[in-house]
Amino acid sequence: MAIVTTVMTVNCGSSSLKLRLVDESDTVLDSEDIAVHKGQIDRERLSRFTERLGRVDAVAHRIVHGGDRFTGSVLVDRDVRSELMELIPLAPAHQPMALAAIDIVADQLPGLPVVACFDTAFHSRMPDAARDYALPRQWRDRFGIRKYGFHGLSHEYASTRAVGLLADKDIRIVVCHLGAGASLAAVRHGHSLDTTMGFTPLEGLVMSTRSGRVDPSILLWLQQHAGIGVEELADTLQYHSGLLGMAGNPNIGELRGRADRDARRAVDVYLHELCAAIAAMTAALGGLDALVFTGGVGENESFVRTHVATALGYLGVTVDEPHNVGAEPDTDISTPDAAVRTLVIAAREDVPMARDARMLLGGS
């Protein structure tokens, strides 16, 4: 088998398709971000990207949901693809687009080995206390109902990078992946001990268009008393809730610039849920040594970081505000005497994806 060094990574998110060509030193040789609208991939732009590439040894695709079956990256064959299709109901906003991307890129770059890298894999060894729901055992065993967790590739990279920046392998880390989708992870010694997303990527924090956690009785009530069907509920929770549902705009930076009541309330709810969830993650760790912000919002919206630091000052989180406002990843924005280090780290899911492809295929 030929040595694999240069890997094309295909990262299907809920709002964008991120393409990277990465070499063995994690250097990005080429890149393009393509906006995604309602799960539709712009085939022409994707084709232009693949046509201009030089050497490519393998393709690695980010797959959001691996279920119980996939706890590590795998080579994609017909059987694997069929199993991934069965998981579509658990990640309807992501899984179909990722499968479409696998097919499109395979047509454009035929003959290359294809690797699936799973967001759920990083969380697959969470303690039972963190992963189990208080539901009947029959349901949990029969249907595989448990907390799977997501954004694992981002949480893995950001926590590893934090350990490197702070030169301490024993730190207790909460990673805040804040983008169109958002989740937290409590990480120590390279392992996820808890996370905010659950059985699907819908649970947890308030997101751009997703509701995050809600009382399940609300959904039952809407079905029983308001006559709202399952399809409408699913569509609304995924695509018309969160910041968009509360204030008509999915962008928290733009909402902060508005003075109307709906915008203020949406931002307040977003920040309240975020701070409460970070505090909960520290309980899984028994304390906090490093708080990491990554993702589009985490890296670019300094007011979010300021609010979190103020709210969680009692945990020892304090940031240097001038440094925070002008922060560019990867950097430590803490005050010199802060008990908790606060870091801004660029999201690099492509790094663990390319690494896993090389390991599977016998590369460096």
Side-chain angles (χ1 to χ4, degrees), residues 221-259:
W221 187 93
L222 288 169
Q223 285 183 299
Q224 295 168 351
H225 299 282
I228 297 178
V230 172
E231 290 187 4
E232 183 179 351
L233 281 175
D235 185 69
T236 301
L237 292 171
Q238 287 279 0
Y239 302 110
H240 305 287
S241 297
L243 296 173
L244 179 66
M246 292 193 73
N249 188 322
N251 187 305
I252 191 168
E254 293 178 7
L255 288 177
R256 184 173 179 260
R258 283 169 36 185

Short mmCIF file of all heavy atoms in Angstrom, two decimals, residues 221-259:
data_model
loop_
_atom_site.label_atom_id
_atom_site.label_comp_id
_atom_site.label_asym_id
_atom_site.label_seq_id
_atom_site.Cartn_x
_atom_site.Cartn_y
_atom_site.Cartn_z
N TRP A 221 -47.28 18.05 24.54
CA TRP A 221 -48.43 18.96 24.64
C TRP A 221 -48.78 19.53 23.27
O TRP A 221 -49.96 19.61 22.91
CB TRP A 221 -48.11 20.09 25.62
CG TRP A 221 -49.29 20.97 25.92
CD1 TRP A 221 -50.18 20.85 26.94
CD2 TRP A 221 -49.70 22.12 25.16
NE1 TRP A 221 -51.12 21.83 26.88
CE2 TRP A 221 -50.86 22.63 25.79
CE3 TRP A 221 -49.21 22.76 24.03
CZ2 TRP A 221 -51.53 23.76 25.32
CZ3 TRP A 221 -49.88 23.87 23.54
CH2 TRP A 221 -51.03 24.37 24.18
N LEU A 222 -47.76 19.92 22.51
CA LEU A 222 -48.01 20.48 21.18
C LEU A 222 -48.67 19.46 20.25
O LEU A 222 -49.52 19.80 19.43
CB LEU A 222 -46.70 20.98 20.56
CG LEU A 222 -46.12 22.25 21.18
CD1 LEU A 222 -44.71 22.49 20.68
CD2 LEU A 222 -47.01 23.45 20.88
N GLN A 223 -48.29 18.20 20.40
CA GLN A 223 -48.92 17.15 19.61
C GLN A 223 -50.37 16.92 20.04
O GLN A 223 -51.27 16.85 19.21
CB GLN A 223 -48.13 15.85 19.73
CG GLN A 223 -46.83 15.82 18.94
CD GLN A 223 -46.15 14.47 19.05
OE1 GLN A 223 -45.80 14.02 20.14
NE2 GLN A 223 -45.98 13.81 17.93
N GLN A 224 -50.56 16.80 21.34
CA GLN A 224 -51.86 16.40 21.87
C GLN A 224 -52.89 17.52 21.87
O GLN A 224 -54.07 17.29 21.63
CB GLN A 224 -51.69 15.85 23.29
CG GLN A 224 -50.87 14.57 23.35
CD GLN A 224 -50.45 14.21 24.77
OE1 GLN A 224 -50.64 15.00 25.71
NE2 GLN A 224 -49.90 13.02 24.94
N HIS A 225 -52.44 18.74 22.13
CA HIS A 225 -53.39 19.84 22.34
C HIS A 225 -53.38 20.88 21.23
O HIS A 225 -54.36 21.60 21.05
CB HIS A 225 -53.11 20.53 23.68
CG HIS A 225 -53.27 19.61 24.86
ND1 HIS A 225 -54.51 19.26 25.36
CD2 HIS A 225 -52.36 18.96 25.61
CE1 HIS A 225 -54.34 18.44 26.39
NE2 HIS A 225 -53.05 18.23 26.55
N ALA A 226 -52.28 20.98 20.48
CA ALA A 226 -52.21 21.96 19.40
C ALA A 226 -52.29 21.31 18.02
O ALA A 226 -52.32 22.00 17.01
CB ALA A 226 -50.93 22.79 19.52
N GLY A 227 -52.29 19.99 18.00
CA GLY A 227 -52.43 19.28 16.74
C GLY A 227 -51.23 19.37 15.82
O GLY A 227 -51.37 19.20 14.61
N ILE A 228 -50.05 19.66 16.36
CA ILE A 228 -48.85 19.77 15.54
C ILE A 228 -48.25 18.39 15.33
O ILE A 228 -47.99 17.66 16.28
CB ILE A 228 -47.83 20.72 16.18
CG1 ILE A 228 -48.42 22.14 16.26
CG2 ILE A 228 -46.52 20.73 15.39
CD1 ILE A 228 -47.52 23.14 16.92
N GLY A 229 -48.04 18.03 14.06
CA GLY A 229 -47.55 16.70 13.74
C GLY A 229 -46.06 16.53 13.95
O GLY A 229 -45.31 17.50 14.13
N VAL A 230 -45.61 15.28 13.86
CA VAL A 230 -44.21 14.95 14.11
C VAL A 230 -43.28 15.65 13.11
O VAL A 230 -42.23 16.19 13.49
CB VAL A 230 -44.01 13.43 14.05
CG1 VAL A 230 -42.52 13.09 14.11
CG2 VAL A 230 -44.75 12.74 15.19
N GLU A 231 -43.65 15.66 11.84
CA GLU A 231 -42.78 16.28 10.83
C GLU A 231 -42.61 17.78 11.07
O GLU A 231 -41.50 18.31 10.95
CB GLU A 231 -43.35 16.03 9.44
CG GLU A 231 -43.24 14.58 8.99
CD GLU A 231 -43.65 14.39 7.55
OE1 GLU A 231 -43.94 15.41 6.88
OE2 GLU A 231 -43.68 13.23 7.08
N GLU A 232 -43.70 18.45 11.43
CA GLU A 232 -43.60 19.89 11.69
C GLU A 232 -42.77 20.15 12.94
O GLU A 232 -41.96 21.09 12.97
CB GLU A 232 -44.99 20.51 11.86
CG GLU A 232 -44.96 22.02 12.07
CD GLU A 232 -46.32 22.65 12.21
OE1 GLU A 232 -47.33 21.95 11.98
OE2 GLU A 232 -46.38 23.85 12.56
N LEU A 233 -42.96 19.32 13.97
CA LEU A 233 -42.15 19.47 15.18
C LEU A 233 -40.66 19.31 14.86
O LEU A 233 -39.83 20.12 15.28
CB LEU A 233 -42.56 18.43 16.23
CG LEU A 233 -43.81 18.69 17.05
CD1 LEU A 233 -44.10 17.49 17.93
CD2 LEU A 233 -43.65 19.95 17.89
N ALA A 234 -40.33 18.25 14.13
CA ALA A 234 -38.92 17.99 13.82
C ALA A 234 -38.32 19.13 13.00
O ALA A 234 -37.20 19.58 13.28
CB ALA A 234 -38.80 16.67 13.05
N ASP A 235 -39.04 19.59 12.00
CA ASP A 235 -38.55 20.67 11.15
C ASP A 235 -38.36 21.96 11.94
O ASP A 235 -37.36 22.67 11.78
CB ASP A 235 -39.53 20.90 9.99
CG ASP A 235 -39.02 21.94 9.01
OD1 ASP A 235 -38.04 21.66 8.30
OD2 ASP A 235 -39.61 23.04 8.96
N THR A 236 -39.32 22.26 12.82
CA THR A 236 -39.25 23.49 13.61
C THR A 236 -38.09 23.45 14.60
O THR A 236 -37.35 24.43 14.75
CB THR A 236 -40.57 23.73 14.36
OG1 THR A 236 -41.64 23.82 13.41
CG2 THR A 236 -40.51 25.01 15.17
N LEU A 237 -37.91 22.33 15.28
CA LEU A 237 -36.84 22.22 16.26
C LEU A 237 -35.46 22.31 15.62
O LEU A 237 -34.53 22.87 16.19
CB LEU A 237 -36.96 20.90 17.02
CG LEU A 237 -38.17 20.75 17.95
CD1 LEU A 237 -38.26 19.32 18.46
CD2 LEU A 237 -38.07 21.72 19.13
N GLN A 238 -35.33 21.78 14.41
CA GLN A 238 -34.04 21.76 13.73
C GLN A 238 -33.72 23.06 13.01
O GLN A 238 -32.58 23.55 13.08
CB GLN A 238 -34.01 20.62 12.69
CG GLN A 238 -33.92 19.24 13.28
CD GLN A 238 -32.50 18.85 13.66
OE1 GLN A 238 -31.55 19.62 13.49
NE2 GLN A 238 -32.35 17.65 14.18
N TYR A 239 -34.72 23.63 12.32
CA TYR A 239 -34.43 24.70 11.37
C TYR A 239 -35.08 26.05 11.68
O TYR A 239 -34.72 27.05 11.07
CB TYR A 239 -34.88 24.27 9.97
CG TYR A 239 -34.21 23.00 9.50
CD1 TYR A 239 -34.93 21.81 9.38
CD2 TYR A 239 -32.86 22.98 9.17
CE1 TYR A 239 -34.33 20.65 8.94
CE2 TYR A 239 -32.24 21.82 8.73
CZ TYR A 239 -32.98 20.65 8.62
OH TYR A 239 -32.37 19.50 8.19
N HIS A 240 -36.00 26.09 12.64
CA HIS A 240 -36.73 27.34 12.87
C HIS A 240 -36.80 27.72 14.34
O HIS A 240 -37.67 28.49 14.74
CB HIS A 240 -38.15 27.22 12.30
CG HIS A 240 -38.19 26.83 10.86
ND1 HIS A 240 -37.85 27.70 9.84
CD2 HIS A 240 -38.48 25.65 10.26
CE1 HIS A 240 -37.95 27.08 8.68
NE2 HIS A 240 -38.32 25.83 8.91
N SER A 241 -35.90 27.20 15.13
CA SER A 241 -35.85 27.52 16.56
C SER A 241 -34.55 28.22 16.89
O SER A 241 -33.99 28.90 16.04
CB SER A 241 -36.03 26.22 17.38
OG SER A 241 -37.29 25.64 17.14
N GLY A 242 -34.07 28.10 18.12
CA GLY A 242 -32.83 28.76 18.49
C GLY A 242 -32.92 30.26 18.32
O GLY A 242 -33.98 30.88 18.52
N LEU A 243 -31.81 30.88 17.95
CA LEU A 243 -31.78 32.33 17.76
C LEU A 243 -32.73 32.78 16.66
O LEU A 243 -33.42 33.79 16.79
CB LEU A 243 -30.35 32.77 17.43
CG LEU A 243 -29.30 32.54 18.51
CD1 LEU A 243 -27.90 32.88 17.98
CD2 LEU A 243 -29.59 33.36 19.76
N LEU A 244 -32.78 32.00 15.58
CA LEU A 244 -33.68 32.34 14.48
C LEU A 244 -35.13 32.36 14.94
O LEU A 244 -35.88 33.29 14.63
CB LEU A 244 -33.50 31.35 13.34
CG LEU A 244 -34.40 31.56 12.12
CD1 LEU A 244 -34.05 32.87 11.42
CD2 LEU A 244 -34.28 30.38 11.15
N GLY A 245 -35.52 31.34 15.69
CA GLY A 245 -36.90 31.27 16.15
C GLY A 245 -37.26 32.36 17.13
O GLY A 245 -38.38 32.89 17.10
N MET A 246 -36.32 32.74 17.98
CA MET A 246 -36.60 33.74 18.99
C MET A 246 -36.59 35.17 18.43
O MET A 246 -37.36 36.02 18.88
CB MET A 246 -35.60 33.65 20.14
CG MET A 246 -35.72 32.38 20.98
SD MET A 246 -34.78 32.52 22.52
CE MET A 246 -35.81 33.66 23.45
N ALA A 247 -35.70 35.43 17.47
CA ALA A 247 -35.51 36.82 17.05
C ALA A 247 -35.39 37.01 15.54
O ALA A 247 -35.09 38.11 15.08
CB ALA A 247 -34.27 37.40 17.73
N GLY A 248 -35.60 35.95 14.77
CA GLY A 248 -35.62 36.10 13.32
C GLY A 248 -34.26 36.18 12.65
O GLY A 248 -34.17 36.48 11.45
N ASN A 249 -33.18 35.89 13.38
CA ASN A 249 -31.84 35.97 12.82
C ASN A 249 -30.97 34.93 13.53
O ASN A 249 -30.93 34.90 14.76
CB ASN A 249 -31.26 37.37 13.02
CG ASN A 249 -29.94 37.58 12.28
OD1 ASN A 249 -29.10 36.69 12.21
ND2 ASN A 249 -29.74 38.77 11.72
N PRO A 250 -30.26 34.07 12.80
CA PRO A 250 -29.46 33.03 13.43
C PRO A 250 -28.08 33.49 13.89
O PRO A 250 -27.33 32.71 14.50
CB PRO A 250 -29.33 31.98 12.33
CG PRO A 250 -29.33 32.79 11.07
CD PRO A 250 -30.29 33.93 11.33
N ASN A 251 -27.72 34.74 13.61
CA ASN A 251 -26.37 35.24 13.89
C ASN A 251 -26.35 36.03 15.19
O ASN A 251 -26.94 37.12 15.28
CB ASN A 251 -25.91 36.12 12.72
CG ASN A 251 -24.47 36.54 12.85
OD1 ASN A 251 -24.06 37.12 13.84
ND2 ASN A 251 -23.69 36.25 11.81
N ILE A 252 -25.66 35.51 16.20
CA ILE A 252 -25.70 36.17 17.50
C ILE A 252 -24.99 37.52 17.48
O ILE A 252 -25.37 38.45 18.19
CB ILE A 252 -25.11 35.26 18.61
CG1 ILE A 252 -25.43 35.85 19.99
CG2 ILE A 252 -23.62 35.04 18.41
CD1 ILE A 252 -25.16 34.92 21.14
N GLY A 253 -23.96 37.68 16.65
CA GLY A 253 -23.29 38.96 16.55
C GLY A 253 -24.21 40.04 16.02
O GLY A 253 -24.21 41.18 16.51
N GLU A 254 -25.01 39.70 15.01
CA GLU A 254 -25.96 40.66 14.46
C GLU A 254 -27.09 40.94 15.44
O GLU A 254 -27.55 42.09 15.54
CB GLU A 254 -26.51 40.12 13.14
CG GLU A 254 -25.45 40.04 12.04
CD GLU A 254 -25.99 39.47 10.75
OE1 GLU A 254 -27.22 39.26 10.66
OE2 GLU A 254 -25.19 39.21 9.84
N LEU A 255 -27.51 39.93 16.18
CA LEU A 255 -28.57 40.15 17.17
C LEU A 255 -28.10 41.09 18.27
O LEU A 255 -28.88 41.92 18.76
CB LEU A 255 -29.02 38.82 17.77
CG LEU A 255 -29.83 37.91 16.85
CD1 LEU A 255 -30.13 36.59 17.55
CD2 LEU A 255 -31.12 38.59 16.42
N ARG A 256 -26.84 40.98 18.65
CA ARG A 256 -26.34 41.86 19.71
C ARG A 256 -26.35 43.32 19.26
O ARG A 256 -26.46 44.24 20.08
CB ARG A 256 -24.93 41.46 20.11
CG ARG A 256 -24.39 42.28 21.29
CD ARG A 256 -23.07 41.73 21.78
NE ARG A 256 -22.56 42.53 22.88
CZ ARG A 256 -21.62 43.46 22.78
NH1 ARG A 256 -21.10 43.75 21.59
NH2 ARG A 256 -21.20 44.11 23.84
N GLY A 257 -26.24 43.54 17.97
CA GLY A 257 -26.26 44.90 17.45
C GLY A 257 -27.64 45.51 17.36
O GLY A 257 -27.78 46.70 17.06
N ARG A 258 -28.68 44.71 17.61
CA ARG A 258 -30.04 45.22 17.59
C ARG A 258 -30.48 45.63 18.99
O ARG A 258 -29.99 45.10 19.98
CB ARG A 258 -30.99 44.14 17.05
CG ARG A 258 -30.92 43.98 15.55
CD ARG A 258 -31.64 42.77 15.02
NE ARG A 258 -32.88 42.42 15.71
CZ ARG A 258 -33.59 41.33 15.43
NH1 ARG A 258 -33.19 40.50 14.47
NH2 ARG A 258 -34.70 41.07 16.09
N ALA A 259 -31.42 46.56 19.04
CA ALA A 259 -31.88 47.08 20.34
C ALA A 259 -33.28 46.60 20.70
O ALA A 259 -33.78 46.93 21.79
CB ALA A 259 -31.86 48.61 20.33
#
